[in-house]
Amino acid sequence: HRLDLDTSGVVVYARSDLALRNLNEAFRDRKVKKKYQALLCGHMAVLEGEINMPLKRDRRSPPFMRVDTGKDDDDNTIEQEKV
C-alpha cells in the first residue's frame, strides 16, 4: 500500500495472503492511523499544533484532496482562486 500520493515514507508489503487480506481490511475500514510532518520555510506563530479540517476529493485535480469548505466546487469565487 502507498499511504498517500506525493508523500515520502513508509511502504507496506504483505508477506502472505493472510497478511494482505488483513492489510486490505485495515485500510478499507480506516483502522490505519497516519501522521504527517511538514518541513516549512519561514516562521510559525506557534511551534506545534494540529490541523483538523475535513478533506474531500479535488474534482479539478484528481487524485488530489482539498479542504472541504462546505461549498460546491462550482461556487469558487475569484478571491478563492487567488488564495
Side-chain angles (χ1 to χ4, degrees):
H1 281 276
R2 174 187 37 80
L3 296 182
D4 279 309
L5 185 68
D6 289 339
T7 59
S8 61
V10 177
V11 177
V12 180
Y13 294 96
R15 294 181 60 185
S16 69
D17 288 338
L18 176 61
L20 178 60
R21 283 193 299 274
N22 289 336
L23 278 172
N24 285 336
E25 180 180 318
F27 276 91
R28 182 191 67 227
D29 296 342
R30 302 201 183 277
K31 293 178 181 175
V32 175
K33 302 295 181 205
K34 303 173 189 178
K35 182 176 180 178
Y36 298 91
Q37 295 181 347
L39 178 62
L40 305 175
C41 180
H43 299 281
M44 299 283 295
V46 294
L47 295 179
E48 64 180 61
E50 182 176 307
I51 299 171
N52 187 1
M53 301 175 78
L55 297 177
K56 68 177 182 180
R57 297 225 177 265
D58 188 341
R59 293 189 326 184
R60 293 182 181 178
S61 302
F64 296 103
M65 304 291 282
R66 59 182 276 182
V67 171
D68 185 357
T69 60
K71 294 184 177 183
D72 190 18
D73 288 340
D74 297 329
D75 289 342
N76 288 332
T77 65
I78 294 173
E79 282 184 50
Q80 288 172 325
E81 292 292 335
K82 290 181 183 177
V83 172

